[in-house]
Amino acid sequence: MDFVTLGELLMDMVPAETGRRLTEVSAFSPKPGGAPANVAVAGARLGARTAFLGKVGEDLFGHALAEVLKKEKVDLRGLRFDADARTTLALIAQPTANLNEYIFYRNPGADQRLRPDELDRDLLAHTRALHIGSLSLSDEPSRSATFEAVRLARQAGAFISFDVNFRPALWRAQADAVAQIAAMLPNADLLKVNETELELLTNTREVEAGSALLLARGPKLVVVTLGADGSYFRTAHASGYAKSFKVDAIDSTGCGDSFVGALLTQVVQFGLENIEAHIQDALRFANAAGAITSTRRGAIPALPTAQEVNEFLKKLLPHIGLLSADA
Ligand code: ADP
């Protein structure tokens, strides 16, 4: 595999309208979601070989979600079905343009019940990278399963990619989240945060200073996403901004996952150890994928193919060479 992702595959219950609080929304419709699952699809659309490890309920939603990933050519050998817990639901509202409200129906949801003994060891022994988030760290047994998957993948020579993807509604206390994320940091080779997560972990929103503090905690590459402004990276020897592209954005859902999926296809292709020489190309590709996703509604339906990213780049930057996951 080019990369394996581990974590939540769930139903986002998307509100019929914005401008209303969760308690006031007129209706919700189910849409496939879960950041690590989106990242696996993002990679597959870009031509990478990806697999997803996780657990859904033995119910209609669980099977429908599996079908979506299967259609996208994500390898599902590592997907488990739980007869005793439901597929997790994330109810979402957007009362104002800058505020999302979430309630997760997962007490426990099937995704939290993935056990270490249910991991597909063969997949973890044959992948170039393992990508995780923080939702699987919030409770047992999925926390132990995540740490075990990280151990197995590292042992087999893969690098670990960690998107903090902090969701306050899932944690009893913010301090718990910070502690669990901090425990994972030394294992992460590639760390991706947004500005809120940067502040959560370093007490500063200042990307230069904050990224340096994060780099000192283990990762070889730290990437901070900055929405419409693009992204920032730091390695041991280099750092800098990569501007995104001006687009008519209508929905930021899935942008971060699109960005990470695209970045992973590039890092896997160049090799993490050589990434400094290729970082601007890799971030340009990832920014383009994120920018395209912001122009479309939803998460999975908004993820671009390699051809779409390359055409987008060619149109905006006709002087550069083409990049793709399998170039
Ligand atoms: P997250 O907070 O989940 O990391 P962001 O909203 O920062 O996600 O988006 C990830 C990436 O997608 C950004 O770094 C950027 O490259 C791209 N992106 C997101 N929104 C826009 C936008 N409005 N215009 C251009 N690019 C965008």
Side-chain angles (χ1 to χ4, degrees):
M1 286 292 148
D2 290 317
F3 60 88
V4 171
T5 72
L6 178 149
E8 67 284 5
L9 169 59
L10 47 77
M11 276 299 180
D12 281 333
M13 301 301 281
V14 177
E17 66 280 303
T18 56
R20 291 198 181 181
R21 302 208 55 181
L22 266 176
T23 47
E24 298 162 343
V25 162
S26 64
F28 295 94
S29 46
K31 302 274 184 240
N38 292 342
V39 171
V41 174
R45 288 237 176 122
L46 294 169
R49 288 163 305 149
T50 67
F52 174 76
L53 304 180
K55 206 169 192 183
V56 289
E58 180 68 69
D59 51 33
L60 200 106
F61 279 154
H63 285 284
L65 288 166
E67 272 312 303
V68 171
L69 263 59
K70 208 166 119 193
K71 239 191 211 151
E72 297 288 344
K73 305 205 165 42
V74 175
D75 189 308
L76 291 184
R77 265 177 287 169
L79 181 66
R80 307 288 174 244
F81 290 86
D82 193 325
D84 299 317
R86 292 291 187 206
T87 299
T88 294
L89 304 182
L91 278 78
I92 306 169
Q94 200 179 22
T96 65
N98 300 319
L99 179 66
N100 287 327
E101 285 184 333
Y102 289 93
I103 299 186
F104 285 87
Y105 278 72
R106 76 191 283 254
N107 287 321
D111 65 300
Q112 291 162 285
R113 288 167 43 103
L114 182 70
R115 298 189 311 267
D117 64 284
E118 291 179 306
L119 294 170
D120 189 311
R121 292 176 159 253
D122 187 51
L123 273 175
L124 290 164
H126 297 98
T127 183
R128 296 204 230 171
L130 169 67
H131 174 77
I132 58 164
S134 68
L135 271 72
S136 63
L137 299 177
S138 70
D139 291 273
E140 290 293 2
S142 64
R143 183 188 302 154
S144 293
T146 308
F147 274 95
E148 177 65 359
V150 163
R151 190 186 70 77
L152 290 168
R154 290 191 76 145
Q155 186 177 284
F159 74 84
I160 308 302
S161 161
F162 183 24
D163 179 354
V164 169
N165 199 26
F166 175 55
R167 292 283 177 270
L170 285 182
W171 298 86
R172 279 162 215 95
Q174 186 164 301
D176 289 347
V178 172
Q180 294 303 335
I181 293 164
M184 184 53 81
L185 278 187
N187 297 302
D189 300 295
L190 190 175
L191 177 69
K192 182 254 177 197
V193 292
N194 61 26
E195 288 165 289
T196 308
E197 294 153 355
L198 183 74
E199 187 172 19
L200 176 78
L201 298 176
T202 67
N203 294 319
T204 174
R205 279 184 91 84
E206 224 257 278
V207 289
E208 285 93 353
S211 61
L213 290 171
L214 290 176
L215 196 79
R217 292 163 75 175
K220 298 182 181 72
L221 171 62
V222 173
V223 175
V224 186
T225 47
L226 307 167
D229 290 332
S231 44
Y232 177 88
F233 80 95
R234 182 177 287 280
T235 63
H237 308 108
S239 62
Y241 290 88
K243 274 198 180 322
S244 193
F245 302 90
K246 279 208 179 359
V247 290
D248 293 323
I250 54 166
D251 181 6
S252 65
T253 312
C255 286
D257 302 332
S258 178
F259 176 95
V260 171
L263 180 62
L264 280 173
T265 65
Q266 300 298 296
V267 178
V268 158
Q269 186 183 321
F270 294 126
L272 184 63
E273 61 289 357
N274 306 316
I275 200 60
E276 274 175 3
H278 301 281
I279 191 73
Q280 286 296 343
D281 288 343
L283 290 177
R284 185 192 301 128
F285 190 79
N287 282 334
I292 294 170
T293 301
S294 78
T295 65
R296 303 169 177 174
R297 289 204 190 282
I300 287 181
L303 300 170
T305 62
Q307 194 184 346
E308 286 170 334
V309 176
N310 282 324
E311 277 168 11
F312 176 89
L313 285 171
K314 214 164 128 192
K315 212 164 86 191
L316 292 174
L317 304 168
H319 55 283
I320 65 154
L322 290 188
L323 283 169
S324 80
D326 52 3

